[in-house]
Each structure stands twice: as C-alpha cells, then as structure tokens.
Amino acid sequence: MADAPIRVTALTKRYPVRMGLGSVAALDSVSFELREGEIMGFLGPNGAGKTTAIKCVLGLLKPSSGRVRLWGLPPAHPSVRRRLGYVPESPDYDDAFTPLELLSLFARMRRLPGGRCDWLDLLARVGLSAWETTRIRKFSKGMRQRVSLALALQSRPSLLVLDEPTGGLDPLARSEFRSIILEESSSRGATVFLSSHLLSEVETICTRALILDHGSLVRQGSMRELLREENQWRLEFAGEAPASLAGRVSALPVTSTPDEAAGSGEYRELRTAGEDLQACIDELRSAGARITRVEPVYGRLEDVFLSATAGQREEEPERDQ
Amino acid sequence: MRTIRAFADMTMKMLLRRRTIYGISIVILLALLGISRVPSFDVGNEGRFILDFGMFGLEIGALLLAIGLAANLYPRDRESRVLLPLLAVPLSRAHYLLGRFAGAALVQMASLVAGCLGLVAVLAINGYAVPPALIPAALLLVVEGWFLLSVVFFFGFWTSPPLNAPLTVLLFIISQMSVREFVSLLPAASGAMKVIRLLLPHMDAFHIKDPIAHGETVPLLYFAVAAFYGLCYTAFILTVGLAVFRSRDLR
Amino acid sequence: MRPAGASFLRALSAALFLIACALPGDYDIEDVAPTSHLGEPCEHDHGHGELQEAGHEHHDDAERQESTQTGMHVHEAGQRNHGTEWFFNQPWASPFIWPKMLRDSLVLAALAAVIALVSRRLTRRA
C-alpha cells in the first residue's frame, strides 16, 4: 500500500458537556501524517488531547469532523487492524492469567500463526523469560507494561501506536523499551507513533515530532527542524575577535576551549543571527581570526516544548460552546 | 466465529478463576441441601416441596449468577483499560459483546446444570422419584439464565454495577407480572404503563416448576416454544445492547 | 455519543413505542383465554361458613359430604375452580397463548436482525 500509515486531516473532536447542551473541543482541526518507517513523537502537556487523538486514530473514538485514514483505509478496517500494534497507558490485564496464556489467547483471537516457542521467544525479548508462567497479579507495573508490549509486538505490526509506554518504568526498563522500539523500526521498518511526556526519550529515538496543546497542533517537523533554534548560528574560530563585533553577537566569547592538540592557542565561539552571519565572518577574517566551524544552533526539546506551549498557557481560550 | 470462540474461552477462564462463581454456586448447593432439612407443611408431599423450592432456588440462582458474573465485566474492562487494546486490535465491538456473553453464558450454564444435578441428588438421597420433565425444565432454566445475563450486559452499557443489579432484579420482578397487575401499580398512567409492560418480556413463560412439582405433564412442544421465545428475546436484548455499545465513545 | 448512533437509537425507541401502542391485545391469560379454558363461571362465594349455607345445589350428596369433611368444595366438570385457576392460567397450560409467543419470538428475531444490520451500517459509515 502506497498510502501513509497514518493520515489525519482536519480532525476535530468535541465532547458534550452540561447534559449535551454544550460541547468542549478536545481536538481542533488537527492534521498530520506519518511516513512509512519513521518514529514520530507525539508531545503535549496533560489534557492537550494526545490520548483523544490516538483513540481517534485507532477508531475507538469517532471524530466530530475530519478524517483519519491508516494506509488509506478507515481505522476499523480488518486489514488495518491486522497491521496494528497498540500499547495503551498502564493497561491492567486480568491478573488471573500468565503472560504466556495471554499471548496464546490473543494469538487465537488474532488468528496468528505461531505457538508456545514463539511466545516464549517474544517474552524473552521483552525481558519476561523467567516469568512466563507466573500470574500477572504478582507483576510490578513495569512488568505489566512489558506484557502489554509483548502483546503489541506479537503480530509483528507495521504500525506501533504507543501511548505513554514508559510511564512509571525505571531507567533500565525505559532503556530496554527504547531499544526494542528502535529495533522494530530499523530491522523491520515498522512505523512508530509514540506519545510520551519524557522529552529526552522522544529526542533520542524519534525522527519527527508533533506538539499538541489545548487540542491544536502547535509545532511539527523533523527533530532537527524542531530543535534548531530559530535563525541562530554558532561560529567557532581561533584567534582574536574584533571589538566591533561586540554589539552584534549574543555572546563573545560564549565559551573558550584550549585546543592543545592543534597547538593553535585558544578557540572561541560566538552566536549570531542569520542576517549577521556573513558580516561576522568577514570581520573575523579581516581581524586575522581563523574560522573553524559554522553551524546552526540546536536547542533542547524541553525548551522547544516549553516555548511551543507557553503562549497557549498564558491565554486560556474559551472552549465551551 | 473463531475470534468469538477464543474470546469466550478467555472470558470463561477468567470467570472460573474469580471467586464469585464459587461463592454463588456454594450458596445454591447449601440452599438445596437445606431444603431437604426443612420440615414440609404438607406431610407426605416432601418430594414435591423439595422440587418446588429447589427449582425456585435455582431460578433465583440464575438471577444471582447473571448479576455476579456479568455486571462487572464491561465496567472493569473499561477501568483497567483492557478494553482499548482489545477493541483497537483483535476484536470488533460485536466480537467483544458476543465473546464475553458466550463465556459468561457457558459458565452460568455449567453452574445451573450442577445445581440441577444437586437437586436430583437431594431427591434421590431422600428417596423421592426424579420426574423426567426435570431435564427439559433445566434446559429452560438455562435459557432463562441466558436471558437474564443479556439483560445484565444491556444495563452494563448504561449504568454502573451498583445500579445494574437492582435494575435487573426490578426487571425480573416486573416481568413476572401480568399487564393488569402492572397497570394497577399506577392506574393514573395506565396507557404508558401498558406500553411499558408490553415492551418488557413475559418471564412467566419460563415458569414450569409448579406443574413439575405437582406431577402435571408439560408438553415438550411448550418447552420448545418457551425456549425459542427466550432465545429470541435474548438475541433482541443483545442486539439493542450492541447498538448502544457501538454508539458509545470510549473516552 | 455518536450523532448517527444517537439518532438511530431515538428512531428505534420511537418505532418500538409505536409498535407497542398499536398492539391490539395483551398477554393476560385471563383476558384472552377462551371460555373452554376458563370453564363456566361460578357465581357463589367461597367462604367456609357459606359453604354449607348457600349450598352447592349442583353437587350431589356424596360430594357434599366429602367436601364438608375435608373443608373443601368440588365443582362440576368444566366449572371454574377459583382456588387453582392461577395454576392453570400459566402459559404452559394455555396452548392458545403459544402461537402468540411464537409470533412474538419471530418479531423479536426480525427486529434484532434489523437493528444489527442498521447499527453495523452506521458504524461502518462513521
């Protein structure tokens, strides 16, 4: 299928309030698309509408308006479901079952080929090899989450939808989770849609990200595009900088690092806006400085996230209708 | 169909591993044993007494089993968020409802059959004959249990478990009343009361304990007609429940 | 609730209400039973004191004697017995109600099929 794994067009979801007399918008004309094989981060503060969007994508909620298509088909289409894996936020599978029983029962429900050996391998992959026949009631939250991941991976899905999959996990478990997700993407080419509050996690593994706030998409793009600070460039040079630059660069010097290996004395770096970049380079050169590096400035995802959601926090819109 | 069977299997295993079913079954068996110890008012007719009260106890047992097994299934699936991955990936809403219903219905049937066998054992131990009509009567009791189960599922999509139980009991009681009796509860709104009663099932169709206890012959044709009525009503309630479920957003 | 689903349920409720309003009779066996089922009505009161006073002229002496001894009275064949009519006014003993049960079963099955199809179509369209 040539269609995008997820294509969401002008998705709006309104929930009725006050006995159906009014409504509140959980999502307001959101549009985005996932490309085959990419890992898309889905960010937003609590109540931004991330879970609502995911439920619409999965066909669990019906959009008030707009369209959701997975490989060009509605989410409830059987051929779409066969290619889908979903890890919800902290699911609590019936604790009377063992992970092996759950995998066997889900395999029967999904009509998957494979048997006990395959499920044992899968449980080993998610770190539950010693626990396959232990009832889930004895499991910690992290172990339950691993069961959930095993169930999602069971059908070798083309699209993995993960809603806060690592919430409540310890750092080691989070790292293992990340490795599995990356492996799914790199070895099988699975597309991953990852909703998370852990910005460092998204920054590490995602190729693109969406930032949602108050039901609206406030930022989207590749990770490099998002992290690149607007119009800021970093210059690294060796030698003396002319005093005339002082007023036009944000820091002079920002840092200075001795480059002893090169034996060329002190290196300096400065930041400047894009329109001043050429003039800075010219002046540095005329002052006898040697330019060693010019690159755009990348920030942290946390800063991008905070700046993207700051405006919305300041002006709380009236969303009741 | 394979999907529904697999999910019903999962539901059955889940219900059998919970304690509710054993609690209710023990209560039913204790009640049956207790009946044989209660002195009958009608000397010489103790067997009739055991049959009459035993079958009444099993009918109440069917009601308790329906509530105990099913009232919490859907709400728990929602609360634990298990419903989301189930409906997002392997199951449609029809699969979910039918699988859960089939699993609960099989467990309920097994419990009621065990109850009937218990009743047979009590009769045999006390030296009374077991009427052959007890077999079709037990099957009709199972159909009645399934009907009550469908009602519990139906209310499950509308209400919380604490409300589900009284609503089901209320429907159970009202459905035993004749139209005339029901209208007499609120004569001022007789028209509305009549319509409400006509829409509700006629559960007196399942009443066969009196003739069996009194040795009357109930034609097999009647068992077939009553079972068909019960199954059709069960299908109707389940379908309306499914329509409601399909129209729900899983927030 | 989905708008299409909600309107469907409203339409369904209205249809069921109309169907119910249009139903000509009810299920009360006493109301719809033929005379052959109920037997001839018995005019007298059944108080024990009146049993011997008002008399049952139609009972023969032997019956009168027996009924007086046991504290019960006996009716002629085919005459309504008020004490046990509830027993025989149950569906299992009223074959005239069985076709009605069958008819209702078929109506319910047909309604179930229609509701299933319509709600499925609405879900797919959504």
Side-chain angles (χ1 to χ4, degrees):
Chain A
M1 274 184 258
D3 284 293
I6 298 179
R7 179 171 289 135
V8 172
T9 316
L11 175 65
T12 298
K13 179 66 192 175
R14 304 192 74 85
Y15 288 125
V17 289
R18 296 191 215 106
M19 307 287 282
L21 294 173
S23 67
V24 61
L27 290 172
D28 189 10
S29 200
V30 171
S31 299
F32 62 87
E33 188 181 307
L34 259 74
R35 296 168 202 144
E36 203 78 54
E38 74 176 346
I39 304 180
M40 170 77 93
F42 195 32
L43 305 172
N46 287 330
K50 297 190 301 295
T51 300
T52 300
I54 285 177
K55 285 180 177 175
C56 287
V57 164
L58 295 170
L60 298 170
L61 286 177
K62 187 194 169 287
S64 303
S65 65
R67 216 165 87 129
V68 177
R69 287 291 179 269
L70 276 67
W71 295 287
L73 295 166
H77 198 281
S79 71
V80 167
R81 285 158 168 269
R82 274 196 288 275
R83 304 178 70 187
L84 202 64
Y86 172 45
V87 178
E89 186 186 353
S90 318
D92 196 3
Y93 287 100
D94 199 288
D95 54 16
F97 291 106
T98 67
L100 193 58
E101 282 175 325
L102 268 185
L103 282 172
S104 304
L105 287 165
F106 268 69
R108 278 179 61 201
M109 280 192 272
R110 303 180 76 170
R111 301 180 191 187
L112 295 175
R116 189 184 158 88
C117 290
D118 300 286
W119 315 142
L120 287 175
D121 287 346
L122 184 55
L123 288 172
R125 191 174 168 214
V126 298
L128 288 174
S129 53
W131 303 88
E132 64 259 9
T133 51
T134 307
R135 295 226 174 146
I136 294 175
R137 73 164 61 99
K138 293 183 181 165
F139 282 13
S140 66
K141 188 179 176 185
M143 290 165 83
R144 285 168 194 246
Q145 202 69 356
R146 286 167 195 257
V147 174
S148 183
L149 183 65
L151 289 169
L153 296 178
Q154 189 180 26
S155 61
R156 301 171 62 79
S158 308
L159 172 64
L160 257 175
V161 180
L162 312 167
D163 191 2
E164 317 260 1
T166 53
L169 296 190
D170 62 59
L172 183 67
R174 274 211 297 273
S175 161
E176 287 173 7
F177 235 88
R178 274 200 299 271
S179 309
I180 292 172
I181 292 167
L182 283 169
E183 206 177 296
E184 285 294 305
S185 174
S186 59
S187 65
R188 292 199 305 105
T191 309
V192 181
F193 191 38
L194 168 70
S195 162
S196 178
H197 283 303
L198 295 168
L199 301 177
S200 58
E201 183 175 84
V202 171
E203 199 175 329
T204 311
I205 63 172
C206 293
T207 45
R208 286 206 302 148
L210 306 165
I211 302 178
L212 198 67
D213 194 24
H214 284 92
S216 300
L217 204 56
V218 288
R219 202 75 68 85
Q220 68 170 311
S222 71
M223 206 48 79
R224 282 180 77 86
E225 282 168 358
L226 286 174
L227 295 181
R228 186 173 155 178
E229 289 187 12
E230 278 186 14
N231 208 21
Q232 285 286 310
W233 289 80
R234 184 172 156 271
L235 271 169
E236 209 174 277
F237 61 93
E240 284 300 315
S244 58
L245 277 179
R248 282 184 286 154
V249 294
S250 57
L252 183 66
V254 173
T255 56
S256 59
T257 50
D259 188 349
E260 289 165 1
S264 54
E266 217 174 43
Y267 275 77
R268 292 161 185 269
E269 93 176 21
L270 60 82
R271 281 172 156 211
T272 184
E275 54 270 24
D276 289 334
L277 180 63
Q278 193 55 52
C280 282
I281 292 170
D282 292 346
E283 285 194 40
L284 282 167
R285 279 185 175 152
S286 61
R290 188 163 55 87
I291 313 289
T292 55
R293 186 176 291 174
V294 180
E295 62 182 12
V297 175
Y298 291 100
R300 293 178 312 147
L301 188 58
E302 188 177 336
D303 298 329
V304 176
F305 178 81
L306 289 174
S307 77
T309 56
Q312 302 274 337
R313 273 198 301 276
E314 281 160 16
E315 40 174 294
E316 281 290 322
E318 178 57 49
R319 294 194 298 159
D320 280 11
Q321 223 181 41
Chain B
M1 204 61 193
R2 264 177 61 190
T3 308
I4 295 173
R5 222 166 45 212
F7 191 50
D9 192 16
M10 184 176 175
T11 306
M12 253 172 69
K13 283 183 178 155
M14 185 186 79
L15 290 172
L16 289 173
R17 286 175 190 183
R18 288 186 187 168
R19 290 183 190 132
T20 323
I21 176 73
Y22 301 108
I24 297 171
S25 300
I26 287 169
V27 168
I28 294 172
L29 286 175
L30 284 177
L32 287 173
L33 288 172
I35 288 166
S36 60
R37 298 278 153 243
V38 175
S40 168
F41 293 110
D42 200 359
V43 179
N45 283 317
E46 288 88 352
R48 199 171 81 184
F49 177 83
I50 291 172
L51 256 176
D52 201 339
F53 277 80
M55 292 189 73
F56 175 70
L58 285 173
E59 194 178 5
I60 299 299
L63 176 68
L64 291 178
L65 278 166
I67 293 170
L69 291 173
N72 211 22
L73 276 179
Y74 173 70
R76 194 191 174 281
D77 284 345
R78 283 203 71 167
E79 269 172 38
S80 62
R81 301 174 206 234
V82 169
L83 193 62
L84 302 177
L86 281 173
L87 293 183
V89 184
L91 302 174
S92 70
R93 296 192 189 208
H95 286 146
Y96 172 84
L97 176 61
L98 293 177
R100 280 280 189 244
F101 177 80
L106 288 172
V107 172
Q108 189 194 38
M109 182 174 76
S111 305
L112 288 174
V113 168
C116 283
L117 290 175
L119 180 60
V120 168
V122 168
L123 284 169
I125 289 165
N126 288 283
Y128 301 112
V130 178
L134 196 60
I135 294 166
L139 293 178
L140 201 54
L141 188 73
V142 168
V143 173
E144 184 180 6
W146 288 349
F147 168 72
L148 289 168
L149 200 62
S150 70
V151 170
V152 174
F153 269 94
F154 175 74
F155 283 134
F157 295 127
W158 296 91
T159 61
S160 58
L163 260 178
N164 193 329
L167 281 173
T168 306
V169 173
L170 192 68
L171 187 126
F172 178 75
I173 293 168
I174 289 174
S175 301
Q176 318 278 344
M177 298 169 89
S178 68
V179 180
R180 196 189 293 179
E181 282 168 341
F182 186 69
V183 169
S184 70
L185 294 176
L186 193 61
S190 59
M193 292 292 276
K194 187 183 170 196
V195 170
I196 291 169
R197 182 61 195 94
L198 286 174
L199 286 175
L200 294 174
H202 294 273
M203 289 189 69
D204 51 354
F206 302 117
H207 284 181
I208 26 77
K209 70 179 177 58
D210 298 319
I212 290 174
H214 288 80
E216 290 283 334
T217 309
V218 181
L220 275 177
L221 176 66
Y222 178 73
F223 283 111
V225 170
F228 184 61
Y229 175 76
L231 290 173
C232 287
Y233 221 114
T234 303
F236 174 70
I237 298 272
L238 282 178
T239 321
V240 177
L242 178 61
V244 173
F245 186 31
R246 278 176 170 161
S247 70
R248 297 261 163 198
D249 265 346
L250 297 175
R251 292 172 74 169
Chain C
M1 182 170 284
R2 298 174 183 184
S7 55
F8 166 63
L9 283 178
R10 274 196 291 272
L12 175 71
S13 312
L16 285 177
F17 189 80
L18 287 173
I19 291 169
C21 289
L23 285 175
D26 57 44
Y27 267 83
D28 287 0
I29 290 171
E30 295 165 58
D31 294 342
V32 297
T35 321
S36 57
H37 177 76
L38 296 172
E40 291 299 321
C42 182
E43 300 294 334
H44 63 262
D45 198 341
H46 286 80
H48 284 290
E50 292 168 19
L51 185 64
Q52 283 121 33
E53 289 165 26
H56 284 88
E57 285 79 12
H58 46 271
H59 298 164
D60 61 24
D61 288 344
E63 279 177 350
R64 179 191 290 264
Q65 195 179 7
E66 179 188 284
S67 62
T68 309
Q69 281 166 357
T70 58
M72 297 166 71
H73 69 276
V74 179
H75 290 99
E76 292 281 345
Q79 194 170 46
R80 186 188 298 176
N81 185 336
H82 297 270
T84 56
E85 68 181 2
W86 65 270
F87 188 88
F88 294 103
N89 281 351
Q90 295 184 67
W92 65 270
S94 312
F96 54 89
I97 209 92
W98 299 355
K100 223 171 180 182
M101 284 171 68
L102 208 57
R103 182 204 64 192
D104 277 18
S105 307
L106 294 172
V107 169
L108 285 166
L111 265 175
V114 169
I115 292 167
L117 284 174
V118 173
S119 76
R120 187 179 176 191
R121 180 165 287 189
L122 283 173
T123 313
R124 291 220 164 156
R125 193 186 296 166

